[in-house]
Amino acid sequence: MPVRRTLRVVRRYWRVAARRLEVHSAPARRAWRRSLQLRVVTLTLIASSLLVGAFGWFIAARSATILLTRAQEEAKVSMRNKIDYAEQQLTVNPQASDPKLPNTFELIVSQLADGDPAESGGSVVSMRAGQYPELRAATLPNVGTDELITPELAHAVSDDSKEASQVVTATLNGRTTKYLAYGAPVRTSFGHVELYYMMPLTTEDSAANQIRTTVLATGIALVLLLGVVAGLVTRLVVTPVRIAARTAQRLSAGLLDQRMKVDGEDDLALLAASFNQMAANLQRQIVRLEELSRLQRRFTSDVSHELRTPLTTVRMAADLIFAERDEFDPAVARSAELLQAELDRFESLLTDLLEISRFDAGFAALDAEHTDLVPIVERVAERLTGLADRVGVTIELRVPETPVIAEVDPRRVERVLRNLVGNAVEHGEGRPVVVTLASDESAVAVTVRDHGIGLKPGEERLVFNRFWRADPSRARQTGGTGLGLSISAEDARLHGGWLEAWGSPGEGAQFRLTLPVRSGDRLLAAPLPLIPRDRAPAPEEVS
């Protein structure tokens, strides 16, 4: 149990630390993602630091090796002279039992130390006879040699009778110094003795430290210089790109006269010139398209208004003929009925075109007032009952018993619902159409659900295009003008709301109108789902 409790505590503190680290590192991550110059300079500093560090380590190590090798060569040459001198002096002592042999040791060490130019640097000379423990070792200066002459070095010289060297660090007279300890056997008539020469590496260490310091300072200066150079070079490249980005943002905001400054004839200047040429071409194309759109809107509006006068005259004549159709032959009476129906369709088309032209011209205004949407939904369903009865469709209403008040334009909302319910009835394939109304604190929503042929994937965005029809093969005598859903989408957008569609082949379709409760508020969610709850699950969804 204590182990589990400890693990839980560790995990809890780890999560807290991770969250804090994430919070504090968020600005750094944001700066890393957004700044190309920061990434280039950082990567340059990292790469140059690794490269300069590896090169500096190689130079320092190589320099230290060279200094040590030179010291070893000097010690080897000096040791050879010392061995020759010691062998000459020991010829006067033919036996190890000679009582004068210790004095000879002292003399030899004294002469070798005095004759060594590195004496002032702290060199140590020692002679001893490992094979004859009774002989006292001689050392000058008189210091302990246990740290200088290690067992490995003594074994190589005494037992193996060969020259050997070793770098050791020893503390003599309170000072810690690195020494090059060199040992060699001195052959005599009674056997051999060992001669050890310990040369301090103070000068070599000082030179190596100076080299390392110089390499380190030079490396740091070089890395910083590379960072500065990388920052300057990157700035030369990034600055025009940033200017191009700002200019592009201004162009996208509608400031079509924005251009980049062209300096020089390099690649960046070519980029600026190409950007300016692209902006000029875009400006010409946009102006041209705006002019064409303006002419198109004006043509639609003018034609719609101009057709009103002859349509009124034709309507008057058609109404007279339609009123007297019972006195005509059956064929003529049928023609009068068809004429009346087509005039109704033509008049509806003209009305929709005029409404579209007002939206295009920006003259559409919202006459918002606090309205109860329940009567509007009921009124739309009642007016479409006749059409529903003719096609064998029933309209089911699911509305709250309490009023649903929202600040809307009742005329436009009724027109949207009339279009949605009318389309659902026409495409319902004889199955019920369900109209649902719901609201919350910030939004109201109306869904219109049919169970007809449905929509193919991607058509839920096309249904709001002008003159688009779900089934182009259908006869033009059925359906509306093709502008109803487009006008409805504009009405919803004028309210600051949404008009969305969902459909699936064979499962029908559902349209959802979502409007803010208070005019001008921003919508965040809808009280009703866009995908109906009664939708049949897909084959892959069935377990």
Side-chain angles (χ1 to χ4, degrees):
M1 290 299 293
V3 176
R4 292 183 178 178
R5 189 178 300 109
T6 303
L7 291 176
R8 284 198 299 268
V9 172
V10 170
R11 283 196 294 267
R12 183 165 59 250
Y13 279 106
W14 174 259
R15 287 194 294 266
V16 172
R19 284 195 296 267
R20 291 183 178 178
L21 180 62
E22 184 177 359
V23 170
H24 291 298
S25 61
R29 292 200 305 270
R30 191 181 305 111
W32 176 265
R33 292 194 304 267
R34 294 182 177 180
S35 177
L36 175 62
Q37 186 176 9
L38 176 62
R39 294 199 297 271
V40 171
V41 172
T42 302
L43 294 176
T44 302
L45 289 175
I46 293 174
S48 60
S49 298
L50 295 176
L51 181 61
V52 172
F55 182 73
W57 176 84
F58 174 77
I59 293 296
R62 185 61 181 168
S63 301
T65 302
I66 292 174
L67 292 173
L68 180 59
T69 302
R70 188 177 65 180
Q72 288 175 340
E73 293 294 334
E74 293 177 356
K76 186 176 182 179
V77 173
S78 178
M79 194 65 179
R80 177 54 54 191
N81 295 331
K82 289 177 173 55
I83 292 172
D84 293 341
Y85 175 76
E87 288 177 350
Q88 293 176 3
Q89 294 298 321
L90 289 174
T91 55
V92 298
N93 303 103
Q95 296 180 359
S97 60
D98 189 346
K100 296 182 179 179
L101 188 57
N103 293 332
T104 304
F105 280 9
E106 296 288 347
L107 178 62
I108 292 173
V109 170
S110 176
Q111 290 297 324
L112 292 178
D114 291 340
D116 187 73
E119 181 184 2
S120 59
S123 61
V124 179
V125 180
S126 179
M127 177 172 283
R128 62 185 181 180
Q131 296 179 348
Y132 307 99
E134 67 275 5
L135 290 176
R136 185 179 70 253
T139 303
L140 193 71
N142 189 14
V143 295
T145 59
D146 293 339
E147 296 183 40
L148 294 173
I149 303 175
T150 62
E152 293 82 4
L153 180 61
H155 174 75
V157 178
S158 177
D159 298 342
D160 297 339
S161 300
K162 64 180 183 181
E163 297 182 2
S165 63
Q166 195 176 38
V167 178
V168 296
T169 301
T171 302
L172 302 179
N173 298 328
R175 296 179 58 187
T176 301
T177 309
K178 185 184 291 184
Y179 286 87
L180 173 61
Y182 208 106
V186 179
R187 290 169 178 80
T188 64
S189 57
F190 54 84
H192 71 267
V193 296
E194 298 93 45
L195 179 64
Y196 295 95
Y197 174 56
M198 282 68 73
M199 182 178 70
L201 297 177
T202 307
T203 304
E204 287 74 10
D205 271 352
S206 177
N209 290 333
Q210 290 180 359
I211 292 174
R212 282 192 289 268
T213 303
T214 303
V215 171
L216 179 62
T218 305
I220 292 175
L222 182 60
V223 169
L224 294 178
L225 181 61
L226 288 175
V228 172
V229 172
L232 293 176
V233 173
T234 308
R235 184 176 181 181
L236 291 176
V237 178
V238 171
T239 299
V241 176
R242 290 176 178 172
I243 295 175
R246 287 195 295 268
T247 306
Q249 290 175 352
R250 296 191 185 100
L251 287 173
S252 64
L255 303 177
L256 302 179
D257 58 342
Q258 295 295 311
R259 297 294 184 271
M260 291 181 62
K261 184 179 180 181
V262 180
D263 293 327
E265 300 178 356
D266 54 8
D267 295 337
L268 296 178
L270 179 60
L271 171 65
S274 302
F275 185 91
N276 291 340
Q277 184 178 2
M278 178 192 68
N281 293 335
L282 287 176
Q283 184 180 14
R284 285 194 296 270
Q285 291 295 331
I286 291 174
V287 171
R288 178 173 172 271
L289 291 175
E290 288 179 349
E291 181 65 19
L292 290 176
S293 177
R294 186 184 65 81
L295 292 176
Q296 182 182 14
R297 291 194 300 268
R298 183 176 178 179
F299 174 78
T300 302
S301 178
D302 292 346
V303 169
S304 301
H305 281 90
E306 290 298 326
L307 288 177
R308 277 292 183 181
T309 301
L311 177 62
T312 302
T313 304
V314 174
R315 164 66 71 179
M316 294 174 60
D319 289 342
L320 291 175
I321 297 174
F322 184 77
E324 301 294 334
R325 68 184 183 281
D326 294 337
E327 301 178 2
F328 300 151
D329 293 338
V332 178
R334 178 58 181 165
S335 298
E337 293 175 354
L338 292 177
L339 176 63
Q340 187 75 7
E342 292 303 317
L343 281 175
D344 290 340
R345 286 171 53 83
F346 188 40
E347 189 172 11
S348 177
L349 176 61
L350 281 180
T351 302
D352 290 344
L353 286 175
L354 286 173
E355 188 66 20
I356 285 291
S357 66
R358 280 193 289 269
F359 279 117
D360 291 339
F363 294 152
L366 187 68
D367 188 11
E369 59 185 41
H370 290 86
T371 306
D372 184 5
L373 297 182
V374 175
I376 295 180
V377 174
E378 294 175 345
R379 185 165 58 250
V380 169
E382 182 181 357
R383 291 181 178 178
L384 291 173
T385 302
L387 174 63
D389 293 339
R390 287 196 300 271
V391 297
V393 173
T394 59
I395 302 176
E396 299 180 7
L397 296 183
R398 298 176 182 176
V399 297
E401 296 181 357
T402 58
V404 178
I405 306 299
E407 191 177 358
V408 298
D409 187 336
R411 180 182 65 86
R412 295 184 183 276
V413 172
E414 184 174 350
R415 179 168 60 188
V416 173
L417 295 180
R418 189 168 58 250
N419 282 325
L420 297 181
V421 177
N423 288 340
V425 169
E426 290 183 0
H427 297 85
E429 302 293 334
R431 299 184 181 93
V433 172
V434 181
V435 182
T436 306
L437 172 65
S439 65
D440 57 21
E441 296 180 354
S442 60
V444 295
V446 181
T447 59
V448 180
R449 171 79 161 108
D450 68 72
H451 300 81
I453 60 175
L455 297 173
K456 298 177 183 178
E459 291 184 346
E460 64 273 3
R461 293 185 296 272
L462 299 176
V463 293
F464 301 108
N465 292 345
R466 298 177 184 180
F467 301 107
W468 186 86
R469 295 172 68 90
D471 187 3
S473 63
R474 295 178 61 193
R476 292 303 296 182
Q477 283 79 9
T478 62
T481 62
L483 294 174
L485 289 179
S486 177
I487 295 175
S488 298
E490 294 292 344
D491 283 333
R493 193 176 298 114
L494 193 63
H495 281 85
W498 306 328
L499 182 57
E500 302 161 286
W502 169 88
S504 181
E507 297 184 16
Q510 176 164 290
F511 287 79
R512 181 180 68 180
L513 172 66
T514 310
L515 302 175
V517 171
R518 290 169 293 275
S519 180
D521 287 357
R522 181 181 178 183
L523 284 179
L524 299 177
L528 293 173
L530 176 60
I531 301 177
R533 297 185 177 92
D534 62 349
R535 177 198 176 191
E540 61 271 11
E541 296 175 355
V542 179
S543 57

